[in-house]
Amino acid sequence: MTILIEQPDHQLAGSQMEEKKLCSETNETCELVLDGGFVVPKDISKNDGCVTQEIAASNDAFIAPEINSFGQSFRDYNAESERQKSVEEFYKSNHINQTLDFVKKMRQEYSKLNRVEMSIWECCELLNEVVDDSDPDLDEPQIEHLLQTAEAIRKDYPNEDWLHLTALIHDLGKVLLLPSFGELPQWAVVGDTHPLGCAFDEYIVHHKYFKENPDYNNASFNTKYGIYSEGCGLDNVMISWGHDDYMYLVAKENGTTLPQAGLFIIRYHSFYPLHRAGAYRHLMNKEDEENLKWLQVFNKYDLYSKSKVRVDVEKVKPYYLSLIEKYFPAKLRW
């Protein structure tokens, strides 16, 4: 199964349009086909500063594309579009309502894992109807993103099967949006995460809305360390509630044999102020520092695989079922 990247013609101009035409005339496809039919463009910067797509050999590494599935730069929270407006409204609600008390309440409630029993793959299929309102790069069903990420990592890291599975399951906590899981509002499930109980770092997206958060003016919370101490470790830090922390609880409490780096990725993959800007590193311990290296590897694929591509689900399903069996019990409590 080979499907071309959808790229709007307005993104191509001058010589780029000619290259697209030439590609068409010679029946060459400017694409890299990964396992399961996943296609990744290989972007090559030319001397004139333009970026073109060229044919990539099958053993080439994943090359991060320049544009997201909307034809825009990745994580551009200021681009003028209807989607960007809804994303900003999302973060306003998130920053106002995510308080330390709220996070404690959610962790206590959802750590009971008394909602349903099901397998990992059954949960993957539940995500078919979920769209993340906080994501400026993607409006496809979440199952598409999971497989895109996993297949891209599988190509570059064929021997790290735990990392393939981590990629597949990292967003499964988004089932919190569904009625059987409490149908939590989007601001309590998705979006970038950040610590509570200390000052809100300026690198958190749409930081201005924290001024309306009840914790903002709490003298115990609004310093660099707040209620924490230097090097205390992220395990001892309350992070805003969402799908990351929930899936971490599900995996840990159901006895997964994934390595600690896998659990770290699941729990902190939305903690962008840390792994993109270096904020809050003063709270990390040595184990966190080691695990962060794997998170930064993972982040490239999590972010930049959000293009208009498709994976042949039935072709790759047996492989991922074998990994699920290796690292998880047949049924999990959620």
Side-chain angles (χ1 to χ4, degrees), residues 253-318:
E253 296 305 317
N254 280 281
T256 183
T257 55
L258 283 174
Q260 283 301 312
L263 291 173
F264 188 91
I265 289 170
I266 291 169
R267 193 175 195 182
Y268 302 113
H269 69 268
S270 299
F271 192 0
Y272 277 91
L274 169 65
H275 53 77
R276 297 287 284 181
Y280 299 107
R281 292 191 75 138
H282 54 280
L283 300 178
M284 296 171 62
N285 58 26
K286 290 184 179 180
E287 185 178 7
D288 294 331
E289 292 285 354
E290 289 302 310
N291 289 331
L292 181 61
K293 296 175 185 178
W294 278 111
L295 176 54
Q296 289 171 329
V297 167
F298 169 84
N299 178 252
K300 170 185 173 182
Y301 301 89
D302 184 25
L303 177 59
Y304 293 109
S305 63
K306 295 173 181 177
S307 300
K308 291 286 188 181
V309 295
R310 290 292 183 271
V311 175
D312 186 334
V313 177
E314 292 307 311
K315 185 174 181 179
V316 301
K317 183 176 177 180

Side-chain angles (χ1 to χ4, degrees), residues 1 10 12 25 41 53 91 180 263 271 306 331-332:
M1 178 179 178
H10 70 266
L12 301 169
E25 289 173 350
Q53 293 180 356
Y91 275 108
S180 57
L263 291 173
F271 192 0
K306 295 173 181 177
K331 295 286 185 180
L332 286 71

